[in-house]
Coordinates of all heavy atoms in Angstrom, one line a residue:
M71 N 84.8 119.3 79.4 CA 84.8 118.9 80.8 C 86.2 118.9 81.4 O 87.1 118.3 80.9 CB 84.1 117.5 80.9 CG 83.8 117.1 82.3 SD 82.9 115.6 82.3 CE 82.8 115.2 84.0
S72 N 86.3 119.5 82.5 CA 87.7 119.5 83.1 C 87.7 118.6 84.4 O 86.7 118.4 85.0 CB 88.1 120.9 83.5 OG 87.3 121.4 84.6
Y73 N 88.9 118.1 84.6 CA 89.0 117.2 85.8 C 89.9 117.9 86.8 O 90.7 118.8 86.5 CB 89.7 115.9 85.4 CG 88.8 115.0 84.6 CD1 88.5 115.2 83.3 CD2 88.2 113.9 85.3 CE1 87.6 114.3 82.6 CE2 87.3 113.1 84.7 CZ 87.0 113.3 83.3 OH 86.2 112.4 82.7
A74 N 89.7 117.6 88.1 CA 90.5 118.2 89.1 C 92.0 117.9 88.9 O 92.3 116.8 88.3 CB 90.1 117.6 90.5
K75 N 92.9 118.7 89.4 CA 94.3 118.5 89.1 C 94.8 117.3 89.8 O 95.9 116.8 89.4 CB 95.0 119.7 89.7 CG 95.1 120.9 88.7 CD 95.7 122.1 89.3 CE 95.7 123.3 88.3 NZ 96.0 124.6 88.9
R76 N 94.1 116.7 90.7 CA 94.6 115.6 91.4 C 94.5 114.3 90.6 O 95.1 113.3 90.9 CB 93.8 115.4 92.7 CG 93.9 116.5 93.7 CD 93.0 116.4 94.9 NE 93.2 115.1 95.6 CZ 92.2 114.4 96.1 NH1 91.0 114.7 95.9 NH2 92.5 113.2 96.7
T77 N 93.7 114.3 89.5 CA 93.6 113.1 88.7 C 94.8 112.9 87.9 O 95.5 113.9 87.6 CB 92.3 113.1 87.8 OG1 92.5 114.2 86.9 CG2 91.1 113.2 88.6
D78 N 95.1 111.7 87.5 CA 96.3 111.4 86.7 C 96.1 111.9 85.3 O 95.0 112.1 84.8 CB 96.5 109.9 86.7 CG 96.7 109.4 88.1 OD1 95.8 109.1 88.8 OD2 97.9 109.3 88.5
G79 N 97.3 112.1 84.7 CA 97.3 112.7 83.3 C 96.5 111.9 82.3 O 96.0 112.5 81.3
N80 N 96.4 110.6 82.5 CA 95.8 109.7 81.6 C 94.3 109.4 82.0 O 93.6 108.6 81.4 CB 96.5 108.4 81.4 CG 96.7 107.7 82.7 OD1 96.6 108.3 83.8 ND2 96.9 106.4 82.7
H81 N 93.8 110.0 83.1 CA 92.5 109.7 83.6 C 91.4 109.8 82.6 O 90.6 108.9 82.4 CB 92.2 110.6 84.8 CG 91.0 110.3 85.5 ND1 90.9 109.4 86.6 CD2 89.7 110.7 85.3 CE1 89.6 109.3 87.0 NE2 88.9 110.1 86.2
K82 N 91.3 111.0 82.0 CA 90.2 111.3 81.0 C 90.3 110.3 79.8 O 89.3 109.7 79.4 CB 90.4 112.7 80.5 CG 89.3 113.2 79.6 CD 89.5 114.7 79.4 CE 88.3 115.3 78.6 NZ 88.4 115.0 77.2
E83 N 91.5 110.0 79.4 CA 91.7 109.1 78.3 C 91.3 107.7 78.6 O 90.6 107.0 77.8 CB 93.2 109.1 77.9 CG 93.6 108.2 76.8 CD 95.2 108.1 76.7 OE1 95.9 109.1 77.0 OE2 95.6 107.0 76.5
V84 N 91.6 107.2 79.8 CA 91.3 105.9 80.3 C 89.7 105.8 80.4 O 89.1 104.8 79.9 CB 91.9 105.6 81.7 CG1 91.3 104.3 82.3 CG2 93.4 105.4 81.5
V85 N 89.1 106.8 80.9 CA 87.6 106.8 81.1 C 86.9 106.7 79.7 O 86.1 105.9 79.4 CB 87.1 108.0 81.9 CG1 85.6 108.2 81.7 CG2 87.5 107.9 83.3
E86 N 87.4 107.6 78.8 CA 86.7 107.7 77.5 C 87.0 106.4 76.7 O 86.1 105.9 76.0 CB 87.3 108.9 76.7 CG 86.7 110.2 77.3 CD 87.3 111.4 76.6 OE1 88.2 111.3 75.7 OE2 86.8 112.5 76.9
E87 N 88.2 105.9 76.8 CA 88.6 104.6 76.0 C 87.8 103.4 76.6 O 87.2 102.6 75.8 CB 90.1 104.4 76.2 CG 90.6 103.1 75.5 CD 90.5 103.2 74.0 OE1 90.3 104.3 73.4 OE2 90.7 102.1 73.3
F88 N 87.7 103.4 77.9 CA 87.0 102.2 78.5 C 85.5 102.2 78.1 O 84.9 101.2 77.8 CB 87.1 102.2 80.0 CG 86.4 101.1 80.7 CD1 86.9 99.8 80.7 CD2 85.1 101.2 81.2 CE1 86.3 98.7 81.2 CE2 84.4 100.1 81.7 CZ 85.0 98.9 81.7
R89 N 84.9 103.4 78.1 CA 83.5 103.5 77.7 C 83.3 103.1 76.3 O 82.2 102.5 75.9 CB 83.0 105.0 77.9 CG 82.7 105.2 79.4 CD 82.1 106.6 79.6 NE 81.7 106.8 81.0 CZ 81.8 107.9 81.7 NH1 82.3 108.9 81.2 NH2 81.3 107.9 83.0
K90 N 84.3 103.4 75.5 CA 84.2 103.0 74.0 C 84.3 101.5 73.9 O 83.6 100.9 73.1 CB 85.3 103.7 73.3 CG 84.9 104.2 71.9 CD 86.1 104.9 71.2 CE 86.3 106.3 71.8 NZ 87.5 107.0 71.3
V91 N 85.3 100.9 74.6 CA 85.6 99.4 74.3 C 84.7 98.5 75.1 O 84.5 97.4 74.7 CB 87.1 99.1 74.6 CG1 88.0 99.8 73.7 CG2 87.5 99.3 76.1
M92 N 84.1 99.0 76.2 CA 83.2 98.1 77.0 C 81.9 98.9 77.3 O 81.6 99.2 78.5 CB 83.9 97.7 78.3 CG 84.9 96.5 78.0 SD 85.4 95.7 79.5 CE 83.9 94.8 80.0
P93 N 81.1 99.2 76.3 CA 79.8 99.9 76.5 C 78.8 99.1 77.4 O 77.9 99.6 77.9 CB 79.3 100.1 75.1 CG 79.9 99.1 74.2 CD 81.3 98.8 74.9
E94 N 79.1 97.8 77.5 CA 78.2 96.9 78.3 C 78.5 97.0 79.8 O 77.8 96.4 80.6 CB 78.3 95.5 77.8 CG 79.6 94.7 78.2 CD 80.7 95.0 77.2 OE1 80.8 96.1 76.6 OE2 81.6 94.1 77.1
A95 N 79.5 97.8 80.2 CA 79.8 98.0 81.6 C 79.4 99.5 82.0 O 79.4 100.4 81.2 CB 81.3 97.8 81.8
S96 N 79.2 99.6 83.3 CA 78.9 101.0 83.8 C 80.2 101.5 84.4 O 80.9 100.8 85.0 CB 77.8 100.9 84.9 OG 76.7 100.2 84.5
L97 N 80.4 102.8 84.3 CA 81.6 103.4 84.9 C 81.1 104.7 85.7 O 80.5 105.6 85.1 CB 82.6 103.8 83.8 CG 83.9 104.4 84.3 CD1 85.0 104.1 83.3 CD2 83.8 105.9 84.5
F98 N 81.5 104.7 86.9 CA 81.3 105.9 87.7 C 82.6 106.5 88.1 O 83.5 105.8 88.6 CB 80.5 105.6 89.0 CG 80.2 106.8 89.9 CD1 79.2 107.7 89.6 CD2 81.1 107.1 90.9 CE1 78.9 108.8 90.3 CE2 80.8 108.3 91.7 CZ 79.8 109.1 91.4
D99 N 82.8 107.8 87.7 CA 84.1 108.5 88.0 C 84.0 109.0 89.4 O 83.4 110.0 89.8 CB 84.2 109.6 87.0 CG 85.6 110.3 87.1 OD1 86.3 110.1 88.1 OD2 86.0 111.0 86.2
A100 N 84.8 108.3 90.3 CA 84.8 108.6 91.7 C 86.1 109.4 92.1 O 86.4 109.4 93.3 CB 84.6 107.3 92.5
S101 N 86.8 109.9 91.1 CA 88.1 110.5 91.4 C 88.0 111.7 92.3 O 89.0 112.2 92.9 CB 88.8 110.9 90.1 OG 87.9 111.8 89.4
G102 N 86.8 112.3 92.5 CA 86.6 113.4 93.5 C 86.3 113.0 94.9 O 86.1 113.8 95.8
A103 N 86.2 111.7 95.1 CA 85.7 111.2 96.4 C 86.7 111.5 97.6 O 86.3 111.8 98.7 CB 85.4 109.7 96.3
G104 N 88.0 111.4 97.3 CA 89.0 111.7 98.3 C 89.1 110.5 99.3 O 88.6 109.4 99.1
K105 N 89.9 110.7 100.4 CA 90.1 109.7 101.4 C 90.7 108.4 100.8 O 90.5 107.3 101.4 CB 88.9 109.4 102.2 CG 88.3 110.7 103.0 CD 87.2 110.3 103.8 CE 86.7 111.6 104.6 NZ 85.5 111.3 105.4
G106 N 91.4 108.5 99.7 CA 92.0 107.3 99.2 C 91.1 106.4 98.4 O 91.6 105.4 97.9
F107 N 89.9 106.8 98.2 CA 88.9 106.0 97.5 C 89.4 105.9 96.0 O 89.8 106.9 95.4 CB 87.5 106.6 97.5 CG 86.5 105.6 97.0 CD1 86.0 104.6 97.8 CD2 86.0 105.7 95.7 CE1 85.1 103.7 97.4 CE2 85.1 104.8 95.2 CZ 84.6 103.8 96.0
P108 N 89.3 104.7 95.4 CA 89.8 104.5 94.0 C 89.1 105.4 93.0 O 87.9 105.9 93.2 CB 89.4 103.1 93.7 CG 89.4 102.4 95.1 CD 88.8 103.4 96.0
D109 N 89.7 105.7 91.9 CA 89.2 106.6 90.9 C 88.0 106.1 90.2 O 87.1 107.0 89.8 CB 90.3 106.8 89.8 CG 91.5 107.5 90.3 OD1 91.3 108.5 91.0 OD2 92.7 107.2 90.0
L110 N 87.8 104.8 89.9 CA 86.7 104.3 89.1 C 86.0 103.2 89.8 O 86.6 102.3 90.4 CB 87.2 103.8 87.8 CG 88.1 104.8 87.0 CD1 88.6 104.0 85.7 CD2 87.4 106.0 86.6
V111 N 84.6 103.3 89.7 CA 83.8 102.2 90.2 C 83.1 101.7 88.9 O 82.5 102.5 88.1 CB 82.6 102.7 91.1 CG1 81.7 101.5 91.5 CG2 83.2 103.4 92.4
I112 N 83.3 100.4 88.6 CA 82.8 99.8 87.4 C 81.9 98.7 87.7 O 82.2 97.8 88.6 CB 84.0 99.3 86.5 CG1 84.7 100.6 85.9 CG2 83.5 98.4 85.4 CD1 85.9 100.3 85.1
G113 N 80.7 98.7 87.1 CA 79.7 97.6 87.2 C 79.7 96.8 85.9 O 79.7 97.3 84.8
W114 N 79.8 95.5 86.1 CA 79.9 94.6 84.9 C 79.4 93.2 85.3 O 79.8 92.7 86.3 CB 81.3 94.5 84.4 CG 81.5 93.7 83.2 CD1 80.9 94.0 82.0 CD2 82.3 92.6 83.0 NE1 81.3 93.1 81.0 CE2 82.2 92.2 81.6 CE3 83.2 91.9 83.8 CZ2 82.8 91.1 81.1 CZ3 83.8 90.8 83.2 CH2 83.7 90.4 81.9
Q115 N 78.4 92.8 84.5 CA 77.8 91.4 84.7 C 77.4 91.2 86.2 O 77.6 90.2 86.8 CB 78.9 90.3 84.3 CG 79.2 90.4 82.8 CD 80.0 89.2 82.4 OE1 80.7 88.6 83.2 NE2 80.0 89.0 81.1
G116 N 76.7 92.2 86.7 CA 76.1 92.1 88.1 C 77.1 92.3 89.2 O 76.7 92.2 90.4
K117 N 78.3 92.7 89.0 CA 79.3 92.9 90.0 C 79.9 94.3 90.0 O 80.0 94.9 88.9 CB 80.4 91.8 90.1 CG 79.8 90.5 90.5 CD 80.9 89.4 90.5 CE 80.3 88.1 91.0 NZ 81.3 87.0 90.8
N118 N 80.4 94.7 91.1 CA 81.1 96.0 91.2 C 82.6 95.9 91.3 O 83.1 94.9 92.0 CB 80.6 96.8 92.4 CG 79.1 97.0 92.3 OD1 78.6 97.4 91.3 ND2 78.4 96.7 93.4
Y119 N 83.4 96.7 90.7 CA 84.8 96.6 90.7 C 85.4 98.0 90.9 O 84.9 99.0 90.4 CB 85.4 96.1 89.4 CG 84.9 94.7 89.1 CD1 83.7 94.5 88.3 CD2 85.5 93.5 89.5 CE1 83.2 93.2 88.0 CE2 85.1 92.3 89.2 CZ 83.9 92.1 88.5 OH 83.5 90.9 88.2
L120 N 86.5 98.1 91.7 CA 87.2 99.3 92.0 C 88.6 99.4 91.3 O 89.3 98.4 91.4 CB 87.4 99.5 93.5 CG 86.1 99.5 94.4 CD1 86.5 99.7 95.8 CD2 85.1 100.6 93.9
F121 N 88.9 100.5 90.7 CA 90.2 100.7 90.0 C 90.8 102.0 90.3 O 90.1 103.1 90.3 CB 90.0 100.6 88.5 CG 89.6 99.2 88.0 CD1 88.3 98.9 87.8 CD2 90.6 98.2 87.9 CE1 88.0 97.6 87.4 CE2 90.3 96.9 87.4 CZ 89.0 96.6 87.2
E122 N 92.1 102.0 90.6 CA 92.9 103.2 90.8 C 93.7 103.4 89.6 O 94.5 102.6 89.2 CB 93.8 103.0 92.1 CG 94.7 104.2 92.3 CD 94.0 105.5 92.5 OE1 93.0 105.6 93.1 OE2 94.5 106.5 91.9
V123 N 93.5 104.6 89.0 CA 94.2 104.9 87.7 C 95.6 105.5 88.1 O 95.7 106.4 88.9 CB 93.4 105.9 86.9 CG1 94.2 106.3 85.6 CG2 92.1 105.4 86.5
K124 N 96.6 105.0 87.4 CA 98.0 105.7 87.6 C 98.5 105.9 86.2 O 98.1 105.2 85.2 CB 98.9 104.7 88.3 CG 98.6 104.6 89.8 CD 98.8 106.0 90.5 CE 98.3 105.9 92.0 NZ 98.3 107.2 92.6
D125 N 99.3 106.9 86.0 CA 99.8 107.4 84.7 C 101.2 106.7 84.4 O 102.2 107.0 85.1 CB 100.0 108.9 84.8 CG 100.3 109.5 83.4 OD1 100.6 108.7 82.5 OD2 100.2 110.7 83.3
P126 N 101.2 105.8 83.4 CA 102.5 105.2 83.1 C 103.5 106.1 82.5 O 104.7 105.7 82.4 CB 102.0 104.1 82.0 CG 100.8 104.7 81.4 CD 100.1 105.5 82.5
A127 N 103.1 107.3 82.1 CA 104.1 108.3 81.6 C 104.9 108.9 82.7 O 106.0 109.5 82.4 CB 103.4 109.4 80.8
K128 N 104.5 108.7 83.9 CA 105.3 109.3 85.0 C 106.4 108.4 85.5 O 106.3 107.2 85.3 CB 104.3 109.6 86.2 CG 103.5 110.9 86.0 CD 102.7 111.2 87.3 CE 101.8 112.4 87.2 NZ 100.9 112.4 88.3
Y129 N 107.4 109.0 86.2 CA 108.4 108.2 86.8 C 107.7 107.3 87.9 O 106.8 107.8 88.5 CB 109.5 109.1 87.4 CG 110.4 109.7 86.4 CD1 110.3 111.0 86.1 CD2 111.3 108.9 85.8 CE1 111.1 111.6 85.2 CE2 112.2 109.5 84.8 CZ 112.1 110.9 84.5 OH 112.9 111.4 83.6
P130 N 108.3 106.1 88.1 CA 107.7 105.2 89.1 C 107.4 105.9 90.5 O 106.4 105.6 91.1 CB 108.7 104.1 89.2 CG 109.3 104.0 87.8 CD 109.4 105.5 87.4
S131 N 108.3 106.7 90.9 CA 108.2 107.3 92.2 C 107.0 108.3 92.2 O 106.3 108.4 93.3 CB 109.4 108.1 92.6 OG 109.7 109.1 91.6
A132 N 106.6 108.9 91.1 CA 105.5 109.8 91.0 C 104.2 109.0 90.7 O 103.1 109.6 90.7 CB 105.7 110.8 89.9
R133 N 104.3 107.7 90.5 CA 103.2 106.9 90.2 C 102.6 106.1 91.4 O 101.6 105.4 91.3 CB 103.7 105.8 89.2 CG 103.1 105.9 87.8 CD 103.6 104.7 87.0 NE 104.8 104.9 86.3 CZ 105.5 104.0 85.8 NH1 105.2 102.7 86.0 NH2 106.6 104.2 85.1
S134 N 103.4 106.1 92.5 CA 103.0 105.3 93.6 C 101.8 105.8 94.3 O 101.4 106.9 94.1 CB 104.2 105.3 94.6 OG 104.5 106.6 95.0
L135 N 101.2 104.9 95.0 CA 99.9 105.3 95.7 C 100.2 106.4 96.8 O 101.3 106.4 97.4 CB 99.4 104.1 96.4 CG 98.9 102.9 95.6 CD1 98.6 101.7 96.4 CD2 97.7 103.3 94.8
T136 N 99.2 107.3 97.0 CA 99.4 108.3 98.0 C 99.2 107.5 99.4 O 98.7 106.4 99.4 CB 98.3 109.3 97.9 OG1 97.0 108.7 98.1 CG2 98.3 110.0 96.5
D137 N 99.5 108.2 100.4 CA 99.3 107.6 101.8 C 97.9 107.2 102.0 O 97.6 106.1 102.5 CB 99.8 108.5 102.9 CG 101.3 108.6 102.9 OD1 102.0 107.7 102.3 OD2 101.8 109.5 103.6
A138 N 96.9 108.1 101.6 CA 95.5 107.8 101.8 C 95.1 106.6 100.9 O 94.3 105.7 101.4 CB 94.7 109.0 101.4
Q139 N 95.6 106.5 99.7 CA 95.3 105.3 98.8 C 95.9 104.0 99.4 O 95.2 103.0 99.5 CB 95.8 105.5 97.4 CG 95.1 106.6 96.7 CD 95.8 107.1 95.4 OE1 96.9 106.7 95.1 NE2 95.1 108.0 94.7
K140 N 97.1 104.1 99.9 CA 97.7 102.9 100.5 C 96.8 102.4 101.7 O 96.6 101.2 101.8 CB 99.1 103.2 101.1 CG 100.2 103.1 100.0 CD 101.5 103.5 100.7 CE 102.5 104.0 99.6 NZ 103.6 104.7 100.2
E141 N 96.4 103.4 102.5 CA 95.6 103.0 103.7 C 94.3 102.4 103.2 O 93.9 101.4 103.8 CB 95.3 104.3 104.4 CG 95.6 104.3 105.9 CD 95.5 105.7 106.5 OE1 96.4 106.5 106.4 OE2 94.4 105.9 107.0
F142 N 93.7 103.0 102.2 CA 92.4 102.4 101.7 C 92.6 101.0 101.2 O 91.8 100.1 101.5 CB 91.8 103.3 100.6 CG 90.5 102.8 100.1 CD1 89.3 103.3 100.6 CD2 90.4 101.8 99.1 CE1 88.1 102.8 100.2 CE2 89.2 101.3 98.7 CZ 88.0 101.8 99.2
H143 N 93.6 100.8 100.4 CA 93.9 99.5 99.8 C 94.1 98.4 100.8 O 93.7 97.3 100.7 CB 95.0 99.6 98.8 CG 94.7 100.3 97.5 ND1 95.3 100.0 96.3 CD2 93.9 101.4 97.3 CE1 94.8 100.8 95.4 NE2 94.0 101.7 96.0
L144 N 94.8 98.8 101.9 CA 95.1 97.8 102.9 C 93.9 97.5 103.8 O 93.7 96.4 104.2 CB 96.2 98.4 103.9 CG 97.7 98.3 103.3 CD1 98.6 99.1 104.2 CD2 98.1 96.9 103.2
A145 N 93.1 98.5 104.0 CA 91.9 98.3 104.9 C 90.7 97.7 104.2 O 89.8 97.1 104.8 CB 91.5 99.6 105.5
W146 N 90.6 97.8 102.9 CA 89.4 97.4 102.1 C 89.3 95.9 102.0 O 90.2 95.2 101.5 CB 89.5 98.0 100.7 CG 88.2 97.9 99.9 CD1 88.0 97.2 98.8 CD2 86.9 98.5 100.3 NE1 86.7 97.3 98.4 CE2 86.0 98.1 99.3 CE3 86.5 99.4 101.3 CZ2 84.7 98.5 99.3 CZ3 85.2 99.8 101.3 CH2 84.3 99.3 100.3
H147 N 88.2 95.4 102.4 CA 87.9 93.9 102.4 C 87.3 93.5 101.1 O 86.3 92.7 101.1 CB 87.0 93.5 103.6 CG 87.7 93.6 104.9 ND1 88.5 92.6 105.4 CD2 87.7 94.6 105.8 CE1 89.0 93.0 106.6 NE2 88.5 94.2 106.8
G148 N 87.7 94.1 100.0 CA 87.2 93.8 98.7 C 88.2 94.0 97.7 O 89.4 94.2 98.0
Q149 N 87.8 93.9 96.4 CA 88.7 94.0 95.3 C 89.1 95.5 95.0 O 88.2 96.3 95.1 CB 88.1 93.3 94.0 CG 88.8 93.7 92.7 CD 88.3 95.0 92.1 OE1 87.3 95.5 92.5 NE2 89.1 95.5 91.2
V150 N 90.3 95.7 94.7 CA 90.7 97.0 94.2 C 92.1 96.8 93.4 O 92.9 96.1 93.9 CB 90.9 98.1 95.2 CG1 91.8 97.7 96.4 CG2 91.4 99.4 94.6
H151 N 92.1 97.3 92.2 CA 93.3 97.1 91.4 C 93.8 98.4 90.9 O 93.1 99.3 90.5 CB 93.0 96.2 90.1 CG 92.9 94.8 90.4 ND1 91.8 94.2 91.0 CD2 93.8 93.8 90.2 CE1 92.1 92.9 91.1 NE2 93.3 92.6 90.7
V152 N 95.2 98.5 90.8 CA 95.8 99.7 90.2 C 96.0 99.4 88.7 O 96.5 98.3 88.3 CB 97.2 100.0 90.8 CG1 97.9 101.1 90.1 CG2 97.0 100.3 92.3
I153 N 95.5 100.3 87.8 CA 95.6 100.1 86.4 C 96.2 101.3 85.7 O 96.2 102.4 86.3 CB 94.3 99.7 85.7 CG1 93.2 100.7 86.1 CG2 93.8 98.3 86.2 CD1 93.1 101.9 85.2
H154 N 96.7 101.1 84.5 CA 97.3 102.2 83.7 C 96.6 102.5 82.4 O 97.0 103.4 81.7 CB 98.8 101.9 83.5 CG 99.5 101.6 84.8 ND1 99.5 100.4 85.4 CD2 100.3 102.4 85.6 CE1 100.2 100.4 86.5 NE2 100.7 101.6 86.7
S155 N 95.7 101.7 82.0 CA 95.0 101.9 80.7 C 93.6 101.2 80.7 O 93.3 100.3 81.6 CB 95.8 101.2 79.6 OG 95.9 99.8 79.8
A156 N 92.8 101.6 79.8 CA 91.5 100.9 79.6 C 91.6 99.4 79.3 O 90.9 98.6 79.8 CB 90.7 101.6 78.5
A157 N 92.6 99.1 78.5 CA 92.9 97.7 78.2 C 93.2 96.9 79.4 O 92.8 95.7 79.5 CB 94.0 97.6 77.1
E158 N 93.9 97.5 80.3 CA 94.3 96.8 81.6 C 93.0 96.6 82.4 O 92.9 95.6 83.1 CB 95.3 97.6 82.3 CG 96.1 96.8 83.2 CD 97.2 97.6 83.9 OE1 97.6 98.7 83.5 OE2 97.8 97.1 84.9
I159 N 92.1 97.5 82.4 CA 90.8 97.3 83.1 C 90.1 96.1 82.5 O 89.6 95.2 83.2 CB 89.9 98.5 83.1 CG1 90.5 99.7 83.7 CG2 88.5 98.2 83.7 CD1 89.7 101.0 83.5
A160 N 89.9 96.1 81.2 CA 89.2 95.0 80.5 C 89.9 93.7 80.8 O 89.2 92.7 81.0 CB 89.2 95.3 79.0
A161 N 91.2 93.6 80.7 CA 91.9 92.4 81.0 C 91.7 91.9 82.4 O 91.5 90.7 82.7 CB 93.4 92.6 80.7
T162 N 91.7 92.9 83.4 CA 91.5 92.5 84.8 C 90.1 92.0 85.0 O 89.9 91.0 85.7 CB 91.8 93.7 85.7 OG1 93.1 94.2 85.4 CG2 91.6 93.4 87.1
L163 N 89.1 92.6 84.4 CA 87.7 92.2 84.5 C 87.6 90.8 84.0 O 86.9 89.9 84.6 CB 86.8 93.1 83.8 CG 86.6 94.5 84.4 CD1 85.7 95.4 83.4 CD2 85.9 94.5 85.7
A164 N 88.2 90.5 82.8 CA 88.1 89.2 82.2 C 88.7 88.1 83.1 O 88.1 87.1 83.3 CB 88.7 89.2 80.8
R165 N 89.8 88.5 83.7 CA 90.5 87.6 84.6 C 89.7 87.3 85.9 O 89.5 86.2 86.3 CB 91.9 88.2 85.0 CG 92.9 87.2 85.4 CD 94.3 87.8 85.5 NE 94.4 88.9 86.5 CZ 94.7 90.1 86.3 NH1 95.1 90.5 85.1 NH2 94.8 91.0 87.2
L166 N 89.1 88.4 86.4 CA 88.3 88.2 87.7 C 87.1 87.4 87.4 O 86.6 86.7 88.3 CB 88.0 89.6 88.3 CG 89.2 90.4 88.8 CD1 88.8 91.8 89.2 CD2 89.8 89.7 90.0
A167 N 86.5 87.6 86.2 CA 85.2 86.9 85.9 C 85.4 85.4 85.8 O 84.5 84.6 85.9 CB 84.7 87.5 84.6
M168 N 86.7 85.0 85.5 CA 86.9 83.6 85.3 C 87.1 82.8 86.6 O 87.0 81.6 86.7 CB 88.2 83.4 84.5 CG 88.1 83.7 83.0 SD 89.5 83.1 82.1 CE 90.8 84.2 82.6
K169 N 87.2 83.6 87.7 CA 87.4 83.0 89.0 C 86.1 82.4 89.6 O 85.1 83.0 89.3 CB 88.0 84.0 90.0 CG 89.5 84.2 89.7 CD 90.1 85.2 90.8 CE 91.6 85.4 90.5 NZ 92.1 86.5 91.3
Ligands
LIG349 MG1 94.7 107.9 90.4

């Protein structure tokens, strides 16, 4: 399965790893949605979460949000987190669930 060139270098790895470590969660790959919408929609314990994947292997300047992503993050009245790994998604979910 190939991914559009617009996805980050670690996108496929993050998706596959997350599905492995948290099979009790749902993951929808929304990386083709466009308009700054986050890469991943995750359902866990009855709630939905949005995550934007960025590649830690890139220089910080190449890792920053696109203009469309910045706009989306600012305008969205809900949760959205930038993550770099499957472990970071799991940690964020655990943290959010404690609130
Ligand atoms: Mg991304």
Side-chain angles (χ1 to χ4, degrees):
M71 187 171 175
S72 69
Y73 285 81
K75 278 178 183 163
R76 297 173 58 222
T77 60
D78 297 87
N80 59 336
H81 183 92
K82 189 171 182 281
E83 179 192 323
V84 168
V85 168
E86 287 176 355
E87 179 71 12
F88 181 77
R89 284 184 169 142
K90 218 178 288 173
V91 299
M92 284 193 72
E94 72 276 28
S96 311
L97 182 155
F98 181 81
D99 188 341
S101 58
K105 297 185 179 177
F107 192 81
D109 290 318
L110 308 175
V111 179
I112 288 174
W114 186 56
Q115 296 188 339
K117 290 183 179 168
N118 302 312
Y119 300 91
L120 302 180
F121 291 97
E122 175 57 41
V123 179
K124 289 295 174 188
D125 190 350
K128 282 188 182 165
Y129 285 106
S131 59
R133 247 189 265 166
S134 57
L135 294 170
T136 65
D137 286 346
Q139 288 165 354
K140 277 180 203 160
E141 236 172 273
F142 182 93
H143 288 215
L144 282 171
W146 190 246
H147 291 274
Q149 166 276 342
V150 54
H151 282 80
V152 177
I153 55 83
H154 304 83
S155 67
E158 204 176 345
I159 298 175
T162 303
L163 290 174
R165 202 169 63 238
L166 293 172
M168 285 192 293
K169 285 183 181 170

